[in-house]
Amino acid sequence: MQKPFYLAIIVSILSIILLVYYFDTIGSILKEKQPETLFETIKNPEKEVVTRNPGKYALMAANVDEKKNLFYFFYLPFAAEAWRKIGFEPIVLLISSHETSLNGFNNNNPPAIRTIEYLKDMGATLKLIKSDKNYGLVTAMLCRLFVGVIDELMDEDYVLTSDSDLIPVGSNYYRIEDMEAITAWNAFCCGNFDFKKRTFQMYPMGHIGMKKKHWRGVMKLNPLTKINTQSIAKLLTESYDASYVKEDNKVGRGDGTWNADQRAYEGARFDRSEKDKSLRFLVENEFNRISDFHGFHSDFMERWEVSDLLFKRIFTYTVYENLTIFYKQFKESLPIK
Ligand SMILES: *[C@@H]1O[C@H](CO)[C@@H](O)[C@H](O)[C@H]1NC(C)=O
């Protein structure tokens, strides 16, 4: 089988599980739709560890052991601040094979350590996920599906998945119409997908939102499931077979499926595929049309100036200043080439 096919499968796992769930459960969720006061009621109080008012969260994940593709975590502080600005508290899963605790965390990767420090300082919710060596990428891609068993979240919290290099800009785009429903942003981008003689609609992993309890139902997760490479391998093996559990250097990047969520957008994306000149024009003349910024990749440092223009528009002056300090420290922490 070919690489794009494998990729299609990884990107689509969620859609498959979502669809199965759709027929089983969504009908009943929608029928049971309750008024917004549901915010105040916490079910199973004896099982809840956290006690606070339920909130809206944006969940990201990044492999902090990554030493080549630093853009996968460089944008986290910007994304976290941008989510907070539009009303979602950031929660970040940090994938590493090195440590089991964030106290005194040191994986010998200074830019990542600097990034984690920023996230800690701004009060983002952080959770360290232990990965098996060489399985950081697949663990980082799929651990977001385990929202349903993140102890730091409550059952009634609404959780939207996002990418570590995706910075939300237009708050209208992220308005939630129905807190009890499952929402897939840009849902019709990606066409269909055939597996075992059934056709499924593919959803981009980019943004899918629902309450924590619904995430657990969708994934049919036992509440005691631990999030790690083992449980992810189990999910992949049960849904497909063991050959889909791939090592870091065997997961393909950059083809049509990987980038599928970049197509079919209304509004404008501040997108790395555009030339700097067009991006400058966009931020200077059409800022209000911008829905989000999909961070630059290997040239993210060289293209700092143009992303900086956008950050200046997005953030208040004090947040922008803090992020600028982060950028400088991140740059200083880079290994000398
Ligand atoms: C900027 O950083 C300082 C020091 O970490 C912090 O006390 C302050 O709250 C931050 N300001 C904003 C607006 O985030």
Side-chain angles (χ1 to χ4, degrees), residues 105-233:
F105 180 82
N106 185 0
N107 62 346
N108 300 317
N109 195 7
I113 293 168
R114 183 61 206 108
T115 306
I116 295 168
E117 272 166 15
Y118 188 99
L119 294 169
K120 271 188 187 166
D121 285 351
M122 72 172 281
T125 305
L126 304 180
K127 190 177 176 71
L128 195 62
I129 304 288
K130 183 108 166 82
S131 77
D132 291 3
K133 214 165 184 302
N134 300 328
Y135 288 90
L137 186 56
V138 76
T139 308
M141 281 174 79
L142 294 176
C143 66
R144 287 173 295 175
L145 302 179
F146 290 72
V147 178
V149 292
I150 296 177
D151 296 337
E152 287 78 354
L153 294 168
M154 302 193 305
D155 272 1
E156 297 298 327
D157 285 331
Y158 186 93
V159 189
L160 178 108
T161 55
S162 190
D163 296 336
S164 59
D165 60 347
L166 202 141
I167 293 142
V169 182
S171 57
N172 275 348
Y173 185 64
Y174 296 99
R175 241 200 334 252
I176 299 157
E177 306 285 337
D178 183 349
M179 296 289 283
E180 285 302 316
I182 296 172
T183 305
W185 274 255
N186 199 20
F188 302 106
C189 69
C190 304
N192 293 326
F193 164 78
D194 291 319
F195 185 73
K196 292 192 175 165
K197 302 200 174 129
R198 284 180 68 186
T199 300
F200 299 94
Q201 186 183 332
M202 286 214 276
Y203 292 116
M205 275 286 294
H207 302 313
I208 293 177
M210 67 189 100
K211 286 189 170 178
K212 176 188 174 183
K213 62 182 181 185
H214 295 149
W215 273 107
R216 196 168 50 243
V218 164
M219 300 299 300
K220 301 195 188 327
L221 288 182
N222 178 318
L224 301 175
T225 308
K226 290 263 181 295
I227 313 173
N228 53 31
T229 306
Q230 293 307 314
S231 51
I232 286 164

Side-chain angles (χ1 to χ4, degrees), residues 81 118 121 316 318-319 322:
E81 294 279 17
Y118 188 99
D121 285 351
T316 62
T318 43
V319 171
N322 278 4

Side-chain angles (χ1 to χ4, degrees), residues 3 49 55 69 89 97 116 188 218 240-241 287:
K3 235 184 205 172
V49 187
N69 299 303
E89 267 307 297
S97 63
I116 295 168
F188 302 106
V218 164
Y240 303 100
D241 67 62
F287 178 74

